[in-house]
Amino acid sequence: MTNPFGSPGSPGSASIRIDPAAVIRLVRFARNVFIPAIILLLVIPWLGRFAVDWLWAREVQYEQVFLASFGWRAGLLLVPGGLAFLFMYLNLSRALPRSTHDVTLFAQRLGAEPAALRLTMPMALLIGTAFLSYAVGMTASSRWASYVLAVFGGDTGATEPLFGNDIGFYLFRLSAWSNLLATAMFVATLTAVGVALLYLLKGELALMPGPGKSTTRANWHVGVLAALVFVLLAVRLWVVTRANLAFSTTGPLVGASYTDVHANLPAIVVSAVAALAAAVATLYGAARGTLLRHLVFSVIAYAAIGIVGRGLVPLVMQRLLVAPNELVREMPYLARHIDATRRAWRIDSVAVRDIAGDAPLTMANIRANAATIGNVRLWDRDLLAQTLGQLQEIRTYYDFVSVSDDRYVINGQYRQVHLSARELNSASLPTRGFINERLTFTHGMGLAMAPVNEVTAEGLPVLFVKDLPPVSTTNITLTRSEVYFGELTNSYVFVKTAQREFNYPAGDANIYSRYAGSGGIGVGSLARRALFAWQLGSLKVLFSSDIGDSARVLMRRNIHERAKRALPFLAFDPEAYLVVTEAGRLVWILDAYTSSTSYPYAARTTGGVNYMRNSVKVTIDAYDGAVTAFLADSTDPLARAYARIFPSAFRPLAEMPPDLQRHLRYPNGIFRIQATLLGTYHMKEPDAFYHREDQWQIPEGAQRDRAVSPYMRHMIMRLPGEKDAEFIYMTPFTPRGKDNLAAWLVARMDGAEYGKLLVYRFPKQSLVYGPRQIMNRIEQDTEISRQLSLWDQRGSQAIRGELLVIPIEESLIYVQPIYLKAQGETSIPELKRVVVAYGNQVVMATTLDEGLQMVFGSGGPRTTPAAAELPAAAAPAPGASIDALLQRSQQHYDRAIAAQRAGNWAEYGREIEQLGAVLRELRSRTGTP
């Protein structure tokens, strides 16, 4: 190919000769090859993705959200990009050399041929400005949400204290103003620099000051553009920089501080005035023919004012005036920060109740709170998941991904249960291939449901719903058990094909089914099959004889991805939960958040968010994938704005079926943030807040790397002062740096009380044992430690479960399950003991009821049950194995200790005598003297 720049010339040549014919060929190459290649490699693939996205949006009935958001993105690509193109192209083309003299001089300075330069400059200008304009448009398009919210977001009715602006200005309009002005300044500055360079190369603009060296045309053109940059800078300072003081971190916390108000704010005003003065001075210099001198002076003066006024003065004021008297100076600004944080995170509505914490409990109190005791969560979710994996996966290609808590009325009783869906893991199929993965093994089957507090004689969970096909032992029934959409369904499948779909195994046979739902996208025509074959990357989609006209493709089946695709402007809590409806269908519920980083004065999370609401509940049917979003908080200004932007996106919460409403939960994500903030922001007085004299913290568990404290949990309980038991989410608080309890927080979830937060505070002068103190007492109990050590020495692993904090009336009891797990990857954790702690008493029993009886007895507290309540151990049979003798010795030892605690010395003597007989038998077997 001919070099378009010609030959480099002789070593002494001072210029590069550009071949005009080669340039013409280059232009033709771009038109005939490069542009078609761009269309083929970029545009056509994008159209294919767009077509599939649109078909999918139609399937889930969110095409209005898809098309509206696409329209806004496209509009923001074209309009700002088009305006930027016009502005840059018109200004730069005006500065291009046009006369023969200008072109010749321009070419000499570039070392180019005048004819080639005249030919290439318009094309280079067009391509360069088009590229830059495209970048401007893409930037604006990527920020479409901020511009749309600026249009549809309204006022909130609340104002911030510094400027009196409505909070809606910060939530909706400030970000758009910031982006708009930053883009305008970028375009104006780039254009001004480009125009100035062109005039310099033409010789119409001189770097050195002096009359007659710069033309009037060049002076005015560059001067007006430079003045525009200064004006835009002044507007940005006044509109954006001033408002951003509400997010300043100059002081001890977020928000405008003493230094910001008394130093930074005046400096910003002065800088804005200086920018306007610089614009006037620049225009004056253009008129007088001394543009560069006035421009340089204006830039230096503006920079000096900024360095001194917004840099040195605030620094000196903060260190010399504020820091020595920080509390006095910052008192009113701390009050603003506290109030804004409490409102932004909705902890200002937390109700507070004081309770004794050490009120004595009796068995009568325990019986009066039977609903609480009957729903104590003895099964740790992680261990239950392991147990279900061994007992209920049934086939290697089934998995239980996660276990969630929920509540149901089961056989007339309000019960807390664990649920986990049995999902299909296609990666574990014995034979993988297109037919197996895409046509035959298409779905999971059913779920496992277990009460949180029941255990079999073998220490395994009792299952209300189990096996394949799912069998229920309660009033909970499943009529549509297939799980086509879940947390593990990350691949596409085809249904209604010529292949039978595997439903579930039945002994040595398999049961097959055919999809009867409305989910999926119809494949139908050859064109659609070709489209999906292209987009899914498999020619088998096009050529498979099993995929007929009635076939449908189920894609984006992961419920988290599905919800995010349908509602891309929302954030989602990572924990979804499964509900069994009254009709027997399986429905996923996801909690969606609206959030912002622009609530003035409010504290931020590590991700920068300082406002969040759980305003939307999303349901996804596990069978047909139907996505429905319900507006749960109509007071949220962000949710109201999105409802105006996408009118068909949300339905009122009242339209959610009642059998789903009864299972709504307060999400963990926002509860954890609110609890963490409440630990500090329950102190409303700035003085107490500043000194952190009553700061709380969520106690850590044994595993400190956990994202969620083990003491933060769902439970059914009767709150103090309430009549009925209810489903709540609770966490205890300890004073910062201390182990005793200070308070506990609950989020209520049932009926009209849903979403209400309530704090129960303990007296500061009373000692209420906290989780760590109870754990230490359990570890120091010699009998419990001896039993756990004995289990560990037998080749098994004794696993201490999560310590449960159980509020009863105005006091607390603690419960800790103990699991036993044999060695080996396939071993099953078994619940063997339950530790109960109350006050100074710590006991370990076989069941929770037994433990409570040991602590409280039938007529008052006691330390252990009568020995008669424990089954007697059989005498060692002749020829018994070593393991059997060890087991017998442990049984005799346990019963001897129980009798000792009960004061039954006769029984104690009998058990010790039998223990001795077993030990003598062991010595004779092992030859130990």
Side-chain angles (χ1 to χ4, degrees), residues 637-708:
L638 279 171
R640 292 201 306 266
Y642 284 124
R644 287 191 289 268
I645 298 168
F646 308 110
S648 65
F650 305 121
R651 296 168 60 182
L653 186 63
E655 295 184 11
M656 177 182 281
D659 57 342
L660 291 179
Q661 287 192 44
R662 288 194 291 270
H663 294 278
L664 293 179
R665 296 190 336 195
Y666 200 89
N668 166 70
I670 194 170
F671 181 79
R672 177 166 45 86
I673 297 173
Q674 288 175 315
T676 302
L677 290 171
L678 186 66
T680 301
Y681 290 88
H682 72 276
M683 297 177 287
K684 302 178 186 178
E685 297 300 322
D687 191 4
F689 180 89
Y690 181 83
H691 292 294
R692 301 291 200 273
E693 59 188 42
D694 189 26
Q695 190 173 12
W696 302 338
Q697 64 184 14
I698 301 171
E700 295 179 334
Q703 298 176 339
R704 299 191 178 187
D705 58 340
R706 293 180 57 149
V708 180

Side-chain angles (χ1 to χ4, degrees), residues 512-573:
Y512 293 88
S513 67
R514 182 174 175 83
Y515 184 70
S518 59
I521 306 171
V523 177
S525 65
L526 180 63
R528 279 202 182 182
R529 290 181 63 176
L531 173 65
F532 284 111
W534 174 29
Q535 290 299 305
L536 297 176
S538 175
L539 287 176
K540 295 176 182 178
V541 175
L542 182 61
F543 296 112
S544 174
S545 59
D546 293 316
I547 301 177
D549 293 340
S550 62
R552 304 181 73 82
V553 58
L554 306 183
M555 55 189 299
R556 294 167 187 167
R557 298 191 298 143
N558 183 287
I559 56 173
H560 299 283
E561 179 193 8
R562 196 171 183 83
K564 188 63 180 175
R565 287 271 192 169
L567 302 159
F569 48 87
L570 298 176
F572 287 87
D573 194 275

